[in-house]
Amino acid sequence: EKKKMKNMILLTLILAVATVSVTEAFALVFPQHSNVVSWSMKISTALGMKWLTNAFKNEEYAAPTEGVKATARHILIKNKGDVNTVIEKLSSEENTFASVARDFSACPSGSKGGSLGSFSPGTMVPEFDKVIFDPLTELGAIVGPVQTQFGYHLIVVDKRTGVY
């Protein structure tokens, strides 16, 4: 009898958090005990258990979306005078962005073709973020030069999420 009662309580809790409120779950499991339903309504209200029901409904406490992120590449050029040389190299059909980054970038990411991987706003300097997360910045296009404290960047945004 104890085991049966434990199973009924467990079933009630599962129903309560998975699909329906505590009150509805008690009504489903104990239809003959309207006093239990009334009692459960009072208890759940008194204990403020709405958060528990909402958590499992995936509304208020839903897992965060992928959020605002970007995947980008860049070439860091220390001297302003070298920017045009790098732009000329990029405009040549025989060069790829990755090869020019390997040859000219002053950033360690140059060895990876300029790849910065995926990152969220605030990871990079503000001037860089302003371009990367601007919805008007065209994906796949070379943007720049963008001046920061590190030098001049030629940037390609490959992917962006959460920016509209």
Side-chain angles (χ1 to χ4, degrees):
E1 187 62 35
K2 268 188 171 181
K3 187 174 182 178
K4 185 177 178 182
M5 185 56 116
K6 280 183 181 180
N7 288 340
M8 294 297 274
I9 291 171
L10 181 60
L11 176 62
T12 301
L13 289 173
I14 290 170
L15 286 170
V17 296
T19 59
V20 294
S21 71
V22 172
T23 303
E24 292 167 324
F26 269 102
L28 289 171
V29 176
F30 302 110
Q32 70 280 19
H33 298 290
S34 60
N35 61 335
V36 172
V37 174
S38 175
W39 172 80
S40 71
M41 189 181 326
K42 289 176 185 172
I43 294 294
S44 64
T45 302
L47 295 177
M49 291 178 62
K50 183 178 178 184
W51 65 269
L52 183 62
T53 304
N54 288 344
F56 287 92
K57 282 185 178 176
N58 206 18
E59 290 169 0
E60 281 185 53
Y61 301 95
T65 59
E66 187 177 337
V68 179
K69 288 193 174 213
T71 303
R73 299 171 281 152
H74 81 133
I75 298 171
L76 173 60
I77 306 153
K78 289 288 188 180
N79 302 313
K80 188 175 185 174
D82 295 333
V83 170
N84 285 335
T85 303
V86 175
I87 290 173
E88 284 177 27
K89 293 287 185 185
L90 287 169
S91 64
S92 169
E93 289 184 18
E94 60 191 46
N95 294 318
T96 64
F97 190 91
S99 68
V100 174
R102 281 187 205 93
D103 293 342
F104 290 94
S105 186
C107 180
S109 68
S111 65
K112 298 183 287 182
S115 175
L116 296 168
S118 182
F119 52 91
S120 300
T123 305
M124 307 295 176
V125 293
E127 302 89 348
F128 203 86
D129 273 1
K130 185 176 180 182
V131 171
I132 298 287
F133 295 102
D134 182 344
L136 298 177
T137 299
E138 185 181 339
L139 297 180
I142 298 173
V143 180
V146 175
Q147 185 177 3
T148 70
Q149 67 194 40
F150 301 106
Y152 301 87
H153 305 261
L154 297 174
I155 304 166
V156 175
V157 180
D158 294 311
K159 180 181 176 187
R160 190 173 40 230
T161 59
V163 176
Y164 304 101

